[in-house]
Each structure stands twice: as structure tokens, then as C-alpha cells.
Amino acid sequence: MSGRFDEFHDELRTVAGELLAKDAVVDWPLLVEAGWTGLEAPESVGGAGAGFREVAVILQEMGRAATRSAYLGGAVLSVGALVSLQPSTTRDALLGDIATGAVRTAVALSRDGQEVQAAAPFCVEPSSTGLRITGRSEFVPDAEGADQLLLLSNAADVPVIVVTTPQAVGLSVTPQPVVDETRRLSVVVADSMMVDESSVWRFDGDPEARMRRLLDRATVAVACDSLGLAEAMLSATVSYASVRHQFGRPIGSFQAVKHACADMLVRISVARHLVSAGVDAIADDSADATAAASMAKSYAGAAAVDVVGKAMQLHGGIGYTWEGGVHVYLKRAALNRSLFGSPAAHRKQLAQRYSQPA
Amino acid sequence: MSTPGVDVRPIRNAIGDSHFCEIFLNDVKIPVANLVGAENAGWQVAQATLGAERGLTMLELAERLGHAGFRWLVEECRRTGVLQDAVVRDELAQFEIEITGLRGLCRDLVERSAAGKAGAADASVVKLYYSELLQRLTDFGAEIGGLAAHTQLTKPISSGWESGSWVLDFIGSWEWTIPGGTSEIQRTIIGERGLGLPREPSVVG
């Protein structure tokens, strides 16, 4: 990450870390108060005018604290989607409302929540009574309780965003409870929902490329979270292994434990570089952002499960208890691994670069 | 090295080369002017030398692995007709990801060393990761190369650690996991100096 922002990022990280350590649940007003919902929105609409590198700092800290919040869906994906659309007064007003917290939105951008190929889950068709929207998007982050929904849709094979309220006739938002209790996911279904032309917002630039970047952004965002989870669990394990005694010595002095911790640090160090490269690629809108995102997600997604799994093992009995809390991290790490593409799916996508399939 | 009393005996290693030697010094007289650093401060000089080796050398090795090494591996898969195999493609992608991570680690180590900001175990993280990645990658190359790889009895002259003579490369990869502090020693250094875990109690004899 760019050197001249290091100091600012360290400060942001410290402030975020302190705030998030207070409570595992951070509700929308608190996100607004912290200035995080509008972090990436332009200053002209009331945002902070920061970039994805700053957003990544918050995401990583939320992973570290296993925070339950609507930040991913309500801010990271929503603002990311809106700023990639053609500027308009309605778009700017919505961005401004997210920054002030007046409106909370969510983005339905994937059909099954885990495909790595970008494909709009909804379809816009003209009819005699207006535009008809049909489609289904599963595992949509933070759609439950959102004031507005942004549906990634195909309009005559061109990706667009359809903006709607969840109360619209023909639209349903149904929570999908998952083992990880720190995430709120929903299935969004549009069954012949009627909208008018003003609800269809177009991408700025190449629509296919913008849609691709939106999925890349989601992919890297989850990788940031996984990195934070892994870092927190290594830190917790080192602390525990330093004070927990067995056979008259701290268990961390045994090589079996020490070397396992060393392996955790190595995996995290590698993940940190790949995630950092992914964040830079999204922030700079690099041509190879999709590959960088896949590398970050594939490695960090798998590494976090591995590291948190080791953390549970090295904590011993207390690690497996509900009260011990390691399970919260393991469940979130496992969910993250699947959300927006498994490590294997991302590797398969990367491997397409070695040769065209026979 | 030609000073009287210096006896250098090459040690033949597992792949038949002699990169390492035993050096015996029998009453060797060296001019005081040849002293490097202060007297009795040789350990610091040795550490600085090793530190440089683990920094810039690792950077070069990682770049070689990322460019020639990985390309040869893909080429080997193409040549042996397994490049379309899903398992092979998955392994290749995993190696590409890990090499990309390694290169980032190495660049960071060099930058932080130059700025005097390197952590106590940063070089160990890089050495451990590179050596074990090299071992896994050459192992995979040997497996893909099949019996034909076993008929390559020598490595190309002045080739690196991934020469494309995969069986020899694989056997030779232990030259990275053992010398310069074994992987086990590196893990202990990372645990103690990097993470601050308690030291092994010393055995009182």
C-alpha cells in the first residue's frame, strides 16, 4: 500500500480497533457516527472522499473483531456500486443519504453468492405496462432491513442497476440464517416486479467491466475480513500459549505449539501481501484486478480457516467451548471462504490464463 | 585460501555436487590488517552477512521462481499432456498464488531492511516459506515429469534451483530446508523472536 498514507492508515486502524473492541454488534447509527458509511463517497455529496484502501482498513479491523454490522452490504458494496454508475442528481442524493445514514441500501450482485463469473442475477424486460424485473439473488449481505435495494440486472444484455424499495410488489427479501451468526444474508427474489425507466441506473464506462469490478470488490472485501480474523486468532493463541501452563511450563514453550504458531504467522504474512495487492488493484482499478482479487480471496480465504482451526486446537478444551469464542471466528472464516467464490473456484478462474481449454 | 594451514575439503552432496566444504584451520597466521570489524565481534559480522544473503538473495530467488521456474512448470505440464487436467490446473494456480505472495514478502523484506525496520523474524519467515515452497514445487515437477525426469542425470550448467531437471531439483531442494538454519530452527526463531513465545527451558546438566 502507498507509503505516504501509512500514517493515516495506522491512525484509522487504531481508531477503528478501539471502537470495534467495545461491542461485537455495531449498528448502523454507530457506523454513520464513525464516518464509515460515507468513507468512499465523494466529498461533493457529503462523503469523506477516501478510497478502497481506507475501506480495506475498516474491513480488516471488523474481521479482527468479528464485528456484526451492515458495513459490507450497506457501505462497501452499495457505495462501490453507486460510484461506478453514471453521475446524476438522484444517484448523488442516494450516496449523500448513505453518508448521512438516512438511507441504508444493499446490493444483490450474485445469483448464488459464490460464483466467480460475473453474471447479473436479474433481468429487465419491457412490457406494455412498464419494465418487468425477474430474477433471484442468494446470500445477499445486509439486505434484511435495508431501505433500498440495488439489483444487478441485465437489460438487453447490458448490465444495469435497478433501484427499488424492498416493499415493491413482486419483490421479496427472505433471511437465510447461516451457522455464522455474525453475518446477515438474505435471498432476494423479483417475480415480475414492475418498475419505471427512472429506476434503471446505468454504469459509467464499459458496463461488463464495471460489473466485473463490483464482484472483484466484494471478493477482496471478504478477503480483508478473513485476514483480520486470522490475525486476531494468531494473537489470541500466542497470548493463551504464553500463560497456559502444562507440565510446569507455558505450553507456548513446547515446539509442537510454537512451530504451529510460526506456521500461522507465515500463512498470515503471505496472505497479507496477497490481500494488499488485491486492495491496491481495486483501489487503482488495475487491468489485472480480477486475478489479484482471486489470488487474495483464494489464499486468505483458505488460510483463515486453517489459522483459526489451529487456534481452536491450540486453545485445547476451552477453544471448543461456546464461551471461549473461537467458534465465532471459525464459523465466520468458513463462511468467508465460500462467500463470493471458494478458493478452488478462484484457482480455476486463474488457471484459464495458462491456456485456453482444449 | 592458499595461506599455509588452510585445508579445504569439498563435501559431495545428495545430488553429487559440491557446494559445501569443510574448512580446517591449522595454526593459520593472518595479518592483523585483514581483521573485518572489531576483535571478538565476528558474530555480528557473520549475522550481517547472513542478513544480506537472506534479503537480496531471497529477492532474486523469488523472482527466478516466479518467472522462469513457474513458466517451466507450466511448460512441463503442457509437454506431458496434463495441462488440461483439473487437478493439475488447481495445483498450478495454487503455486502461482503462493509465488506471488512470496515475491511480495521478499520485496517487503528488502525495503524494510533498507529502512532498518525489519522485524527480528522477518528473514526467517521468508527463508522458511521459500524453501518449503521450492520443495513442494520441485516435488510437483518431478511427479509431472514422470520417469523421463529421472533420465536427466545432470542439471544444466549454472542453472538455478528450478532448472527443469525436476528430480535433481527436488532432491536439491533440501539444500534450502536444511542449511542456513533448518526449517525447524526457523520455526523456533519465528515463534520466539517474531511472536514472543516463551523459550524452551534450558536443560541444566
CSV table of all heavy atoms in Angstrom, one decimal, chain A residues 238 242 249-250 253 255 258-259 261-263 265-266 269-270 273-274 295 298 347 350-358, chain B residues 70 78 83-84 89-90 92-94 96-97 100-101 104-105 108 128-129 184 187-188 190-192 195 197-201:
chain,number,residue,atom,x,y,z
A,238,VAL,N,-1.3,-16.9,20.7
A,238,VAL,CA,0.1,-16.6,21.3
A,238,VAL,C,-0.1,-16.1,22.7
A,238,VAL,O,0.6,-16.6,23.6
A,238,VAL,CB,0.8,-15.5,20.4
A,238,VAL,CG1,2.0,-14.9,21.2
A,238,VAL,CG2,1.2,-16.0,19.1
A,242,SER,N,1.2,-18.4,26.0
A,242,SER,CA,2.2,-17.8,26.8
A,242,SER,C,1.9,-17.9,28.3
A,242,SER,O,2.7,-17.9,29.2
A,242,SER,CB,2.5,-16.4,26.4
A,242,SER,OG,2.8,-16.3,25.1
A,249,ARG,N,5.4,-25.8,32.5
A,249,ARG,CA,5.9,-24.8,31.6
A,249,ARG,C,4.8,-24.2,30.7
A,249,ARG,O,3.8,-24.9,30.5
A,249,ARG,CB,6.9,-25.3,30.5
A,249,ARG,CG,7.7,-26.5,31.0
A,249,ARG,CD,8.4,-27.3,29.9
A,249,ARG,NE,8.6,-26.8,28.5
A,249,ARG,CZ,9.2,-27.5,27.6
A,249,ARG,NH1,9.6,-28.7,27.8
A,249,ARG,NH2,9.3,-27.0,26.4
A,250,PRO,N,4.9,-23.0,30.3
A,250,PRO,CA,3.9,-22.4,29.4
A,250,PRO,C,3.9,-23.3,28.1
A,250,PRO,O,4.9,-23.7,27.6
A,250,PRO,CB,4.4,-21.0,29.1
A,250,PRO,CG,5.8,-20.9,29.6
A,250,PRO,CD,6.0,-22.0,30.5
A,253,SER,N,6.1,-22.8,25.1
A,253,SER,CA,7.5,-23.2,25.0
A,253,SER,C,7.7,-24.5,24.4
A,253,SER,O,8.8,-24.9,24.0
A,253,SER,CB,8.1,-23.1,26.4
A,253,SER,OG,7.6,-24.2,27.2
A,255,GLN,N,7.8,-27.1,21.4
A,255,GLN,CA,8.0,-26.9,19.9
A,255,GLN,C,6.7,-27.2,19.1
A,255,GLN,O,6.4,-26.5,18.1
A,255,GLN,CB,9.1,-27.7,19.4
A,255,GLN,CG,10.5,-27.1,19.8
A,255,GLN,CD,11.6,-27.7,19.1
A,255,GLN,OE1,11.5,-28.8,18.5
A,255,GLN,NE2,12.8,-27.1,19.2
A,258,LYS,N,4.7,-24.1,19.5
A,258,LYS,CA,5.5,-22.9,19.0
A,258,LYS,C,5.6,-23.0,17.4
A,258,LYS,O,5.3,-22.0,16.7
A,258,LYS,CB,6.9,-22.9,19.6
A,258,LYS,CG,7.7,-21.7,19.2
A,258,LYS,CD,9.1,-21.8,19.9
A,258,LYS,CE,8.9,-21.6,21.4
A,258,LYS,NZ,10.2,-21.9,22.1
A,259,HIS,N,5.9,-24.1,16.9
A,259,HIS,CA,6.0,-24.3,15.5
A,259,HIS,C,4.7,-24.1,14.8
A,259,HIS,O,4.6,-23.6,13.6
A,259,HIS,CB,6.7,-25.6,15.1
A,259,HIS,CG,8.1,-25.6,15.5
A,259,HIS,ND1,9.0,-26.7,15.2
A,259,HIS,CD2,8.9,-24.7,16.2
A,259,HIS,CE1,10.2,-26.4,15.6
A,259,HIS,NE2,10.2,-25.2,16.2
A,261,CYS,N,2.3,-22.1,15.8
A,261,CYS,CA,2.1,-20.7,15.8
A,261,CYS,C,3.0,-20.0,14.7
A,261,CYS,O,2.5,-19.1,14.0
A,261,CYS,CB,2.5,-20.1,17.1
A,261,CYS,SG,1.3,-20.5,18.4
A,262,ALA,N,4.2,-20.5,14.5
A,262,ALA,CA,5.1,-20.0,13.5
A,262,ALA,C,4.5,-20.2,12.1
A,262,ALA,O,4.5,-19.3,11.2
A,262,ALA,CB,6.5,-20.7,13.5
A,263,ASP,N,3.9,-21.4,11.9
A,263,ASP,CA,3.2,-21.6,10.6
A,263,ASP,C,2.0,-20.7,10.4
A,263,ASP,O,1.8,-20.3,9.2
A,263,ASP,CB,2.8,-23.1,10.5
A,263,ASP,CG,4.0,-24.0,10.3
A,263,ASP,OD1,5.0,-23.6,9.7
A,263,ASP,OD2,3.9,-25.2,10.7
A,265,LEU,N,1.8,-17.7,11.5
A,265,LEU,CA,2.4,-16.3,11.1
A,265,LEU,C,2.8,-16.3,9.7
A,265,LEU,O,2.6,-15.3,8.9
A,265,LEU,CB,3.5,-16.0,12.0
A,265,LEU,CG,4.2,-14.6,11.7
A,265,LEU,CD1,3.2,-13.5,11.9
A,265,LEU,CD2,5.4,-14.4,12.5
A,266,VAL,N,3.4,-17.4,9.2
A,266,VAL,CA,3.9,-17.5,7.8
A,266,VAL,C,2.7,-17.3,6.9
A,266,VAL,O,2.7,-16.6,5.9
A,266,VAL,CB,4.7,-18.8,7.5
A,266,VAL,CG1,5.0,-18.9,6.0
A,266,VAL,CG2,6.0,-18.8,8.3
A,269,SER,N,1.4,-13.9,6.9
A,269,SER,CA,2.4,-12.9,6.2
A,269,SER,C,2.1,-13.0,4.7
A,269,SER,O,2.1,-11.9,4.0
A,269,SER,CB,3.8,-13.3,6.5
A,269,SER,OG,4.0,-13.2,7.9
A,270,VAL,N,2.0,-14.2,4.2
A,270,VAL,CA,1.7,-14.4,2.7
A,270,VAL,C,0.4,-13.8,2.4
A,270,VAL,O,0.2,-13.0,1.4
A,270,VAL,CB,1.8,-15.8,2.3
A,270,VAL,CG1,1.5,-16.0,0.8
A,270,VAL,CG2,3.2,-16.4,2.6
A,273,HIS,N,0.3,-10.0,2.0
A,273,HIS,CA,0.8,-9.5,0.8
A,273,HIS,C,-0.2,-9.6,-0.4
A,273,HIS,O,-0.4,-8.7,-1.2
A,273,HIS,CB,2.1,-10.1,0.4
A,273,HIS,CG,3.2,-9.5,1.2
A,273,HIS,ND1,3.7,-8.2,0.9
A,273,HIS,CD2,3.8,-9.9,2.3
A,273,HIS,CE1,4.6,-7.9,1.8
A,273,HIS,NE2,4.7,-8.9,2.6
A,274,LEU,N,-0.9,-10.8,-0.4
A,274,LEU,CA,-1.8,-11.0,-1.5
A,274,LEU,C,-3.1,-10.1,-1.3
A,274,LEU,O,-3.6,-9.6,-2.3
A,274,LEU,CB,-2.2,-12.5,-1.5
A,274,LEU,CG,-1.0,-13.4,-2.0
A,274,LEU,CD1,-1.4,-14.9,-1.7
A,274,LEU,CD2,-0.8,-13.2,-3.5
A,295,MET,N,-6.5,-14.2,-6.3
A,295,MET,CA,-5.4,-14.7,-5.5
A,295,MET,C,-5.6,-14.3,-4.1
A,295,MET,O,-5.3,-15.2,-3.2
A,295,MET,CB,-4.1,-14.0,-6.0
A,295,MET,CG,-3.6,-14.5,-7.4
A,295,MET,SD,-1.9,-14.0,-7.7
A,295,MET,CE,-1.7,-14.6,-9.4
A,298,SER,N,-8.6,-16.5,-2.7
A,298,SER,CA,-8.3,-17.9,-2.6
A,298,SER,C,-7.3,-18.2,-1.5
A,298,SER,O,-7.6,-19.1,-0.6
A,298,SER,CB,-7.6,-18.4,-4.0
A,298,SER,OG,-7.2,-19.7,-3.9
A,347,ARG,N,-9.1,-20.4,-8.1
A,347,ARG,CA,-7.9,-21.0,-8.8
A,347,ARG,C,-8.3,-21.5,-10.2
A,347,ARG,O,-7.5,-21.3,-11.1
A,347,ARG,CB,-7.4,-22.2,-7.9
A,347,ARG,CG,-6.7,-21.8,-6.6
A,347,ARG,CD,-5.8,-22.9,-6.1
A,347,ARG,NE,-6.6,-24.0,-5.6
A,347,ARG,CZ,-7.1,-24.2,-4.4
A,347,ARG,NH1,-6.8,-23.3,-3.4
A,347,ARG,NH2,-7.8,-25.2,-4.0
A,350,LEU,N,-8.2,-18.5,-12.3
A,350,LEU,CA,-6.8,-18.1,-12.6
A,350,LEU,C,-6.2,-19.0,-13.6
A,350,LEU,O,-5.4,-18.5,-14.5
A,350,LEU,CB,-6.0,-18.2,-11.3
A,350,LEU,CG,-6.2,-17.1,-10.3
A,350,LEU,CD1,-5.5,-17.5,-9.0
A,350,LEU,CD2,-5.6,-15.8,-10.8
A,351,ALA,N,-6.5,-20.3,-13.5
A,351,ALA,CA,-5.8,-21.3,-14.4
A,351,ALA,C,-6.2,-21.1,-15.9
A,351,ALA,O,-5.5,-21.6,-16.8
A,351,ALA,CB,-6.1,-22.7,-14.0
A,352,GLN,N,-7.3,-20.4,-16.1
A,352,GLN,CA,-7.7,-20.1,-17.5
A,352,GLN,C,-6.6,-19.4,-18.3
A,352,GLN,O,-6.5,-19.4,-19.5
A,352,GLN,CB,-9.0,-19.3,-17.6
A,352,GLN,CG,-10.2,-20.2,-17.2
A,352,GLN,CD,-11.5,-19.4,-17.0
A,352,GLN,OE1,-11.5,-18.2,-17.2
A,352,GLN,NE2,-12.5,-20.0,-16.6
A,353,ARG,N,-5.7,-18.7,-17.5
A,353,ARG,CA,-4.7,-17.9,-18.1
A,353,ARG,C,-3.5,-18.7,-18.7
A,353,ARG,O,-2.7,-18.3,-19.4
A,353,ARG,CB,-4.1,-16.9,-17.1
A,353,ARG,CG,-5.2,-15.7,-16.8
A,353,ARG,CD,-5.1,-15.3,-15.4
A,353,ARG,NE,-3.9,-14.6,-15.0
A,353,ARG,CZ,-3.1,-15.2,-14.1
A,353,ARG,NH1,-3.3,-16.4,-13.6
A,353,ARG,NH2,-2.0,-14.5,-13.7
A,354,TYR,N,-3.5,-20.0,-18.2
A,354,TYR,CA,-2.3,-20.8,-18.6
A,354,TYR,C,-2.5,-21.3,-20.0
A,354,TYR,O,-1.6,-21.5,-20.8
A,354,TYR,CB,-2.1,-22.0,-17.7
A,354,TYR,CG,-2.0,-21.6,-16.2
A,354,TYR,CD1,-2.5,-22.3,-15.2
A,354,TYR,CD2,-1.4,-20.4,-15.9
A,354,TYR,CE1,-2.4,-21.9,-13.9
A,354,TYR,CE2,-1.3,-19.9,-14.6
A,354,TYR,CZ,-1.8,-20.7,-13.6
A,354,TYR,OH,-1.8,-20.3,-12.3
A,355,SER,N,-3.7,-21.6,-20.4
A,355,SER,CA,-4.0,-22.0,-21.8
A,355,SER,C,-5.5,-22.0,-22.0
A,355,SER,O,-6.3,-22.0,-21.0
A,355,SER,CB,-3.5,-23.4,-22.0
A,355,SER,OG,-4.3,-24.3,-21.3
A,356,GLN,N,-5.9,-21.9,-23.2
A,356,GLN,CA,-7.4,-22.0,-23.4
A,356,GLN,C,-7.8,-23.4,-23.3
A,356,GLN,O,-7.0,-24.3,-23.7
A,356,GLN,CB,-7.7,-21.4,-24.8
A,356,GLN,CG,-7.4,-20.0,-25.0
A,356,GLN,CD,-8.1,-19.1,-24.0
A,356,GLN,OE1,-9.2,-19.2,-23.7
A,356,GLN,NE2,-7.3,-18.2,-23.4
A,357,PRO,N,-8.9,-23.7,-22.7
A,357,PRO,CA,-9.4,-25.1,-22.6
A,357,PRO,C,-9.4,-25.8,-23.9
A,357,PRO,O,-9.7,-25.2,-25.0
A,357,PRO,CB,-10.8,-25.0,-22.0
A,357,PRO,CG,-10.8,-23.6,-21.4
A,357,PRO,CD,-9.9,-22.8,-22.2
A,358,ALA,N,-9.0,-27.1,-23.9
A,358,ALA,CA,-8.9,-27.8,-25.2
A,358,ALA,C,-10.3,-28.0,-25.8
A,358,ALA,O,-11.3,-28.0,-25.1
A,358,ALA,CB,-8.3,-29.2,-24.9
B,70,PHE,N,8.2,-21.0,-12.6
B,70,PHE,CA,6.8,-21.2,-12.8
B,70,PHE,C,6.5,-21.5,-14.3
B,70,PHE,O,5.7,-22.4,-14.6
B,70,PHE,CB,5.9,-20.1,-12.3
B,70,PHE,CG,4.4,-20.4,-12.4
B,70,PHE,CD1,3.9,-21.4,-11.6
B,70,PHE,CD2,3.6,-19.8,-13.3
B,70,PHE,CE1,2.5,-21.7,-11.7
B,70,PHE,CE2,2.3,-20.1,-13.4
B,70,PHE,CZ,1.7,-21.0,-12.6
B,78,ARG,N,2.4,-28.9,-20.0
B,78,ARG,CA,1.9,-28.8,-21.4
B,78,ARG,C,2.5,-30.0,-22.2
B,78,ARG,O,1.9,-30.7,-22.9
B,78,ARG,CB,2.2,-27.5,-22.0
B,78,ARG,CG,1.5,-27.2,-23.4
B,78,ARG,CD,2.0,-26.0,-24.1
B,78,ARG,NE,2.2,-24.8,-23.2
B,78,ARG,CZ,1.3,-23.9,-22.8
B,78,ARG,NH1,0.1,-24.1,-23.3
B,78,ARG,NH2,1.6,-22.9,-22.0
B,83,LEU,N,-1.8,-30.5,-18.9
B,83,LEU,CA,-2.2,-29.1,-18.6
B,83,LEU,C,-3.7,-28.9,-18.6
B,83,LEU,O,-4.2,-28.0,-17.9
B,83,LEU,CB,-1.6,-28.2,-19.7
B,83,LEU,CG,-1.7,-26.7,-19.4
B,83,LEU,CD1,-1.1,-26.4,-18.0
B,83,LEU,CD2,-1.0,-25.9,-20.4
B,84,GLN,N,-4.5,-29.8,-19.2
B,84,GLN,CA,-6.0,-29.6,-19.1
B,84,GLN,C,-6.6,-30.3,-17.9
B,84,GLN,O,-7.8,-30.2,-17.7
B,84,GLN,CB,-6.6,-30.1,-20.4
B,84,GLN,CG,-6.2,-29.3,-21.7
B,84,GLN,CD,-6.3,-27.8,-21.5
B,84,GLN,OE1,-7.2,-27.3,-20.8
B,84,GLN,NE2,-5.3,-27.1,-22.0
B,89,ARG,N,-4.3,-28.2,-13.0
B,89,ARG,CA,-4.5,-26.7,-13.1
B,89,ARG,C,-4.7,-26.1,-11.7
B,89,ARG,O,-4.3,-25.0,-11.5
B,89,ARG,CB,-5.8,-26.5,-14.0
B,89,ARG,CG,-5.6,-26.9,-15.4
B,89,ARG,CD,-6.8,-26.9,-16.2
B,89,ARG,NE,-7.3,-25.6,-16.6
B,89,ARG,CZ,-6.8,-24.9,-17.7
B,89,ARG,NH1,-5.8,-25.5,-18.4
B,89,ARG,NH2,-7.2,-23.7,-18.0
B,90,ASP,N,-5.4,-26.8,-10.8
B,90,ASP,CA,-5.6,-26.3,-9.5
B,90,ASP,C,-4.3,-26.1,-8.8
B,90,ASP,O,-4.0,-25.1,-8.1
B,90,ASP,CB,-6.5,-27.3,-8.7
B,90,ASP,CG,-6.9,-26.7,-7.3
B,90,ASP,OD1,-7.7,-25.7,-7.3
B,90,ASP,OD2,-6.4,-27.2,-6.3
B,92,LEU,N,-1.3,-25.7,-10.2
B,92,LEU,CA,-0.6,-24.7,-10.8
B,92,LEU,C,-1.0,-23.3,-10.3
B,92,LEU,O,-0.2,-22.4,-10.0
B,92,LEU,CB,-0.7,-24.7,-12.4
B,92,LEU,CG,0.1,-25.8,-13.1
B,92,LEU,CD1,-0.3,-25.8,-14.6
B,92,LEU,CD2,1.6,-25.7,-12.9
B,93,ALA,N,-2.3,-23.1,-10.2
B,93,ALA,CA,-2.9,-21.9,-9.8
B,93,ALA,C,-2.4,-21.6,-8.3
B,93,ALA,O,-2.1,-20.5,-7.9
B,93,ALA,CB,-4.4,-21.8,-9.9
B,94,GLN,N,-2.4,-22.7,-7.5
B,94,GLN,CA,-2.0,-22.5,-6.1
B,94,GLN,C,-0.5,-22.1,-6.1
B,94,GLN,O,-0.2,-21.2,-5.3
B,94,GLN,CB,-2.2,-23.8,-5.3
B,94,GLN,CG,-1.8,-23.8,-3.9
B,94,GLN,CD,-2.6,-22.9,-3.0
B,94,GLN,OE1,-3.8,-22.6,-3.3
B,94,GLN,NE2,-2.1,-22.4,-1.9
B,96,GLU,N,1.1,-20.5,-8.4
B,96,GLU,CA,1.2,-19.1,-8.9
B,96,GLU,C,0.8,-18.1,-7.8
B,96,GLU,O,1.5,-17.1,-7.6
B,96,GLU,CB,0.3,-18.8,-10.1
B,96,GLU,CG,0.7,-17.5,-10.7
B,96,GLU,CD,-0.3,-17.0,-11.8
B,96,GLU,OE1,-1.3,-17.7,-12.0
B,96,GLU,OE2,-0.1,-15.9,-12.3
B,97,ILE,N,-0.2,-18.4,-7.0
B,97,ILE,CA,-0.7,-17.6,-5.9
B,97,ILE,C,0.4,-17.5,-4.9
B,97,ILE,O,0.8,-16.4,-4.4
B,97,ILE,CB,-2.0,-18.1,-5.3
B,97,ILE,CG1,-3.1,-18.0,-6.3
B,97,ILE,CG2,-2.3,-17.4,-4.0
B,97,ILE,CD1,-4.4,-18.8,-5.9
B,100,THR,N,3.4,-15.5,-6.0
B,100,THR,CA,3.1,-14.1,-6.0
B,100,THR,C,3.2,-13.5,-4.5
B,100,THR,O,3.8,-12.4,-4.3
B,100,THR,CB,1.7,-13.8,-6.5
B,100,THR,OG1,1.6,-14.4,-7.8
B,100,THR,CG2,1.4,-12.3,-6.6
B,101,GLY,N,2.7,-14.3,-3.6
B,101,GLY,CA,2.8,-13.9,-2.2
B,101,GLY,C,4.3,-13.9,-1.7
B,101,GLY,O,4.7,-12.9,-1.0
B,104,GLY,N,6.0,-10.8,-2.9
B,104,GLY,CA,5.6,-9.6,-2.1
B,104,GLY,C,6.4,-9.6,-0.8
B,104,GLY,O,6.9,-8.6,-0.4
B,105,LEU,N,6.5,-10.8,-0.2
B,105,LEU,CA,7.2,-10.9,1.1
B,105,LEU,C,8.7,-10.5,0.9
B,105,LEU,O,9.2,-9.8,1.8
B,105,LEU,CB,7.2,-12.4,1.5
B,105,LEU,CG,6.1,-12.9,2.4
B,105,LEU,CD1,6.5,-14.4,2.8
B,105,LEU,CD2,6.0,-12.1,3.7
B,108,ASP,N,9.1,-6.7,0.4
B,108,ASP,CA,8.9,-6.0,1.6
B,108,ASP,C,10.1,-6.2,2.6
B,108,ASP,O,10.5,-5.2,3.2
B,108,ASP,CB,7.6,-6.6,2.2
B,108,ASP,CG,7.2,-5.9,3.5
B,108,ASP,OD1,7.0,-4.7,3.4
B,108,ASP,OD2,7.0,-6.5,4.5
B,128,LEU,N,12.0,-19.7,5.4
B,128,LEU,CA,11.1,-20.9,5.7
B,128,LEU,C,10.1,-21.1,4.5
B,128,LEU,O,10.0,-22.2,4.0
B,128,LEU,CB,10.4,-20.8,7.0
B,128,LEU,CG,9.4,-21.9,7.4
B,128,LEU,CD1,10.1,-23.2,7.5
B,128,LEU,CD2,8.7,-21.5,8.7
B,129,TYR,N,9.5,-20.0,4.2
B,129,TYR,CA,8.4,-20.1,3.2
B,129,TYR,C,9.0,-20.4,1.8
B,129,TYR,O,8.5,-21.3,1.1
B,129,TYR,CB,7.6,-18.8,3.1
B,129,TYR,CG,6.4,-18.9,2.3
B,129,TYR,CD1,5.4,-19.8,2.6
B,129,TYR,CD2,6.2,-18.2,1.1
B,129,TYR,CE1,4.2,-20.0,1.8
B,129,TYR,CE2,5.1,-18.3,0.3
B,129,TYR,CZ,4.1,-19.2,0.7
B,129,TYR,OH,2.9,-19.3,0.0
B,184,GLU,N,13.1,-26.2,11.1
B,184,GLU,CA,12.7,-26.3,12.5
B,184,GLU,C,13.3,-25.2,13.3
B,184,GLU,O,12.6,-24.6,14.1
B,184,GLU,CB,13.2,-27.7,13.1
B,184,GLU,CG,12.4,-28.9,12.5
B,184,GLU,CD,12.7,-29.2,11.0
B,184,GLU,OE1,13.8,-28.9,10.5
B,184,GLU,OE2,11.7,-29.6,10.3
B,187,ARG,N,11.4,-22.1,12.5
B,187,ARG,CA,10.1,-22.0,13.2
B,187,ARG,C,10.3,-21.6,14.7
B,187,ARG,O,9.4,-20.9,15.2
B,187,ARG,CB,9.4,-23.4,13.1
B,187,ARG,CG,8.8,-23.6,11.7
B,187,ARG,CD,7.9,-24.9,11.7
B,187,ARG,NE,7.2,-24.9,10.4
B,187,ARG,CZ,7.7,-25.5,9.4
B,187,ARG,NH1,8.8,-26.2,9.4
B,187,ARG,NH2,7.0,-25.5,8.2
B,188,THR,N,11.4,-22.1,15.3
B,188,THR,CA,11.6,-21.7,16.7
B,188,THR,C,12.0,-20.2,16.7
B,188,THR,O,11.5,-19.5,17.6
B,188,THR,CB,12.8,-22.5,17.2
B,188,THR,OG1,12.4,-23.9,17.2
B,188,THR,CG2,13.2,-22.1,18.6
B,190,ILE,N,11.0,-17.9,14.6
B,190,ILE,CA,9.7,-17.1,14.4
B,190,ILE,C,8.8,-17.1,15.6
B,190,ILE,O,8.3,-16.1,16.0
B,190,ILE,CB,9.0,-17.8,13.2
B,190,ILE,CG1,9.7,-17.6,11.9
B,190,ILE,CG2,7.6,-17.1,13.0
B,190,ILE,CD1,9.3,-18.5,10.7
B,191,GLY,N,8.7,-18.3,16.3
B,191,GLY,CA,7.9,-18.4,17.5
B,191,GLY,C,8.4,-17.5,18.6
B,191,GLY,O,7.7,-16.8,19.2
B,192,GLU,N,9.8,-17.5,18.8
B,192,GLU,CA,10.3,-16.8,19.9
B,192,GLU,C,10.6,-15.3,19.6
B,192,GLU,O,10.2,-14.5,20.4
B,192,GLU,CB,11.6,-17.5,20.4
B,192,GLU,CG,11.3,-18.9,21.0
B,192,GLU,CD,12.6,-19.7,21.4
B,192,GLU,OE1,13.7,-19.1,21.3
B,192,GLU,OE2,12.4,-20.8,21.9
B,195,LEU,N,7.1,-13.9,17.5
B,195,LEU,CA,5.8,-13.9,18.2
B,195,LEU,C,6.0,-13.7,19.7
B,195,LEU,O,5.0,-13.5,20.4
B,195,LEU,CB,5.0,-15.2,17.9
B,195,LEU,CG,4.5,-15.3,16.5
B,195,LEU,CD1,4.0,-16.8,16.3
B,195,LEU,CD2,3.4,-14.3,16.2
B,197,LEU,N,6.9,-15.9,21.9
B,197,LEU,CA,6.6,-17.1,22.7
B,197,LEU,C,7.7,-17.4,23.7
B,197,LEU,O,8.9,-17.2,23.4
B,197,LEU,CB,6.2,-18.3,21.8
B,197,LEU,CG,4.8,-18.2,21.2
B,197,LEU,CD1,4.7,-19.2,20.0
B,197,LEU,CD2,3.7,-18.4,22.2
B,198,PRO,N,7.4,-18.1,24.8
B,198,PRO,CA,8.4,-18.4,25.8
B,198,PRO,C,9.5,-19.4,25.2
B,198,PRO,O,9.1,-20.2,24.4
B,198,PRO,CB,7.7,-19.0,27.0
B,198,PRO,CG,6.3,-19.2,26.5
B,198,PRO,CD,6.0,-18.4,25.3
B,199,ARG,N,10.7,-19.2,25.6
B,199,ARG,CA,11.8,-20.0,25.1
B,199,ARG,C,11.7,-21.4,25.8
B,199,ARG,O,11.1,-21.6,26.8
B,199,ARG,CB,13.1,-19.4,25.5
B,199,ARG,CG,13.4,-18.1,24.8
B,199,ARG,CD,14.7,-17.5,25.3
B,199,ARG,NE,15.8,-18.4,25.0
B,199,ARG,CZ,16.5,-18.3,23.8
B,199,ARG,NH1,16.2,-17.4,22.9
B,199,ARG,NH2,17.5,-19.1,23.6
B,200,GLU,N,12.3,-22.3,25.1
B,200,GLU,CA,12.4,-23.7,25.6
B,200,GLU,C,13.3,-23.6,26.9
B,200,GLU,O,14.3,-23.0,26.9
B,200,GLU,CB,13.2,-24.5,24.5
B,200,GLU,CG,13.2,-26.0,24.7
B,200,GLU,CD,12.1,-26.7,23.9
B,200,GLU,OE1,11.5,-26.0,23.0
B,200,GLU,OE2,11.9,-27.8,24.0
B,201,PRO,N,12.9,-24.3,28.0
B,201,PRO,CA,13.7,-24.2,29.2
B,201,PRO,C,15.1,-24.9,28.9
B,201,PRO,O,15.1,-26.0,28.2
B,201,PRO,CB,13.0,-25.0,30.2
B,201,PRO,CG,11.7,-25.5,29.6
B,201,PRO,CD,11.7,-25.1,28.1
